[in-house]
Amino acid sequence: MPQDFDADVAVIGYGPTGVVGALTLAQQGARVIAFERDKEIYSRARAVTVNDWTVRIFQSLGIGERIEKVIDPQRALRWVTYDGHEVMRIEHPPSSLGAGARFYNIYQPTLESELRACAQDQGDLISVRYGAEVTETEQDDTGVTVTTTDTATGEVRRYRTRYAIAADGGSSRTRQRLGVQLLGDTSEVTWVVIDCRVKRWWPDRDVLTFWTDKERPVVDIALSAGNHRWEIPLKPHETEADFPTSAEVWPLLRALGVTEDDVEIHQHAFYRHHVRMADTWRAGRVFLAGDAAHLMPPWAGAGMQTGMRDAHNLGWKLGRVLAGRLPESWLDTYEAERRPNAAFYTGLAVQLGRVIKQEIPDEERAALSASPPEGLVTPFEPPLIAPPVLEGGWLRGPLGDASIVGRMVPQPVVGDTVGRMARLDDLIGDSFALLGDDVDPATLLTGEERRQWDALGTRYLALRPRSAHTRGPSELVDLYGVLGAWLRRYGVRAVALRPDRFVAAADTSGLAVPA
């Protein structure tokens, strides 16, 4: 690395989005320097859940087993009225993406602490400056100069990097300095968030419950590590000043049947919901990620997760660009792929919020979980729990129900030719891969197509049934028939997998490298 660069990438803000970005870049060998204004992890639990897509990202970073020790499986979601009528319920099926559960409850301070500990293990690849407030980001043709001020001493320092990622939250000063607009609205209703420590178990505590009511809807959710949370809106005549201590908060919980025998109030705070998105996620060499790029209501449990997915998507691409394994044009796919997904979860959160606040007609509410007409290729699952799909970006071929392109490949346990058994991603490794259904996918390529995939460091893997012998070293055994059945459902013999395990192309629409 030239001596005038302190690192390859500056990460501004070291919450979950920033840490996942740093870990993903370090996995590609990039050197990261992170700046975090606060010296301690924020003590309040903001996010409450992660799903199997996010857990699969942790697995890809080699930290999955550590993270799963500090999160708890979530059983189901339900929407109920105060008189006990269940309006809607979603039972979580087992994960198809390699995690044991489809959803997990978290306690965000604990999760963040473990993520940062994982990043510490990266040694010199990730360095963090705590208590450093970024006051300026200046760009030129070759890099970014980041100016920081020490919050304790006032010392001003400057750092030089090739790129920067702004993960400094919804009030991102980096975004403001770049002149990027955050478009949308903020709700006028103030909510009180009550975090508690559990004293004893009560019936269905592990079911995430939304108490639906026009005046006082409530979010009631188990967090990991023996914590529980309620989120309750204030009425028009109430203000934050009416709840200075836990004593004033207790009547809100008692109205739900919660007593001092059940929980101890740990802390409470106030916030408003936002529905906002930046008009662009990139300004030259600086990228926005997480809340700096988008803000959504909490009803889909996707705000923090969307940020971590942003960081992972950008990180595996930017890391390869820095290493010279991908052209710089790849960075244009970041917003193209992540913006639609963030918009999807924002829209879903808004709709679910209308359910909990009883602002939605019965027929529209029923449509949210109703099965579509018969004849679809893809088995229906409610949008909140359905496996992820890309709507655009680095893909080749049609999208939609009958297409495998843009879908995330399932992750069963598979075998290799010498008898090892592990989850699919662990045996493929961190690479592009072509996967063939009982066929060597390389034999389906033209010479030019093979050269293009070779340039990306692609692996070519034949997927053999467990009833047959393997024939060479580049093969996997479909131990449970999951992958072969999935490919045949869409009528394909081979697919091209990206490092994030989305299908980029299939033989039915051409296996050439996407443009």
Side-chain angles (χ1 to χ4, degrees), residues 406-425:
R407 301 188 183 280
M408 182 174 277
V409 64
Q411 192 190 188
V413 172
V414 295
D416 67 7
T417 56
V418 296
R420 291 180 300 176
M421 292 183 287
R423 290 178 293 182
L424 177 70
D425 294 0

Side-chain angles (χ1 to χ4, degrees), residues 182 185-187 271-276 295-298 346 350:
L182 191 65
D185 299 299
T186 296
S187 171
Y271 74 99
R272 291 183 177 183
H273 297 161
H274 305 276
V275 181
R276 296 181 178 272
L295 293 165
M296 66 184 71
T346 301
V350 170

Side-chain angles (χ1 to χ4, degrees), residues 72-89:
D72 296 331
Q74 184 187 107
R75 182 159 62 93
L77 303 171
R78 64 178 178 177
W79 287 256
V80 299
T81 59
Y82 281 104
D83 61 6
H85 172 65
E86 189 167 280
V87 176
M88 189 165 67
R89 186 183 186 95

Side-chain angles (χ1 to χ4, degrees), residues 22 25 44 54 94 112 139 163 177 209 211 222 248 258 277 307 312 315 340-341 366 388 414 488-489 494-495 504 507:
L25 287 160
R44 301 195 186 278
T54 304
E112 282 197 55
Q139 303 185 56
Y163 293 92
R177 286 191 291 268
T209 300
W211 298 88
E248 291 77 24
V258 181
M277 190 172 294
H312 183 250
N341 189 259
V414 295
R488 291 188 288 275
R489 176 191 299 154
V495 291
D507 63 295

